Amino acid sequence: MSTEPVRRVAAALAAPGQPGSGLAALDVALADSVGHRLFTVLVLDEARGVSRRAYTSQPEAYPVSGEKPLRRDSEFYALVARQGLPRFCRDRGDIIRAFPDHELILSLGCEAAVNMPVRWDGRTLGALNLLHAAGHYTEAQLPALSLFAALAVAPILHILGEEGR
């Protein structure tokens, strides 16, 4: 992976307009380096027991919306939130099993996904969610995804109101 996408994200994070400009730069960098048809950022507020979509590359189909209760019995929560591991959905069947809104996801041409945890100080703050064609995501992309997830810490902390913590 070229260092140019990382440099552009770092520059965007240093500029005014956070967290929007930083998350938009992450969107572009991830599209260029890993690829996606849909990119969202999910923020987890464990203390309040809710999650919310804080960023989306397709606001018409997946708007930034209100809060939803955390589904602590879900595979996403077990892997991504609790264990801090990425979750791969490799094909249409995985998407159908993993997402209650799979019909919308499939209608966008997305038959694969990776949910990459964004972690800070031993806890998961949220996730970078990338969706694309079947078979697009593999473990070989984890180094790049891990780097971009680390760059997402500051914007998510800002969203959670913990920038001074």
Side-chain angles (χ1 to χ4, degrees):
M1 178 178 86
S2 163
T3 59
E4 184 57 23
V6 175
R7 190 201 63 74
R8 287 192 316 256
V9 173
L13 289 170
Q18 298 308 320
S21 61
L23 294 177
L26 275 169
D27 180 358
V28 171
L30 283 163
D32 291 347
S33 59
V34 178
H36 65 74
R37 291 181 179 167
L38 171 64
F39 169 65
T40 67
V41 176
L42 184 69
V43 175
L44 305 176
D45 187 336
E46 288 284 353
R48 296 180 47 239
V50 297
S51 67
R52 69 180 179 272
R53 188 177 306 119
Y55 180 87
T56 179
S57 64
Q58 292 195 36
E60 307 80 35
Y62 272 92
V64 172
S65 57
E67 300 172 339
K68 296 180 183 177
L70 285 176
R71 292 180 40 223
R72 289 190 166 99
D73 61 343
S74 70
E75 179 188 44
F76 171 89
Y77 190 82
L79 284 175
V80 180
R82 190 175 310 127
Q83 297 177 49
L85 299 172
R87 177 179 72 163
F88 289 91
C89 296
R90 300 185 194 279
D91 59 28
R92 179 182 190 88
D94 287 350
I95 294 291
I96 291 169
R97 282 187 294 279
F99 295 98
D101 57 348
H102 60 268
E103 290 178 4
L104 177 55
I105 290 170
L106 295 171
S107 77
L108 298 173
C110 299
E111 294 188 351
V114 60
N115 307 114
M116 187 68 193
V118 175
R119 293 183 54 86
W120 171 252
D121 196 25
R123 66 186 175 114
T124 301
L125 304 174
L128 305 180
N129 306 307
L130 293 85
L131 296 93
H132 211 301
H136 186 80
Y137 299 111
T138 69
E139 284 79 2
Q141 295 153 326
L142 285 175
L145 289 167
S146 296
L147 179 58
F148 288 116
L151 291 171
V153 168
I156 292 178
L157 283 174
H158 180 81
I159 291 164
L160 288 168
E162 297 181 10
E163 58 273 73
R165 190 168 156 180

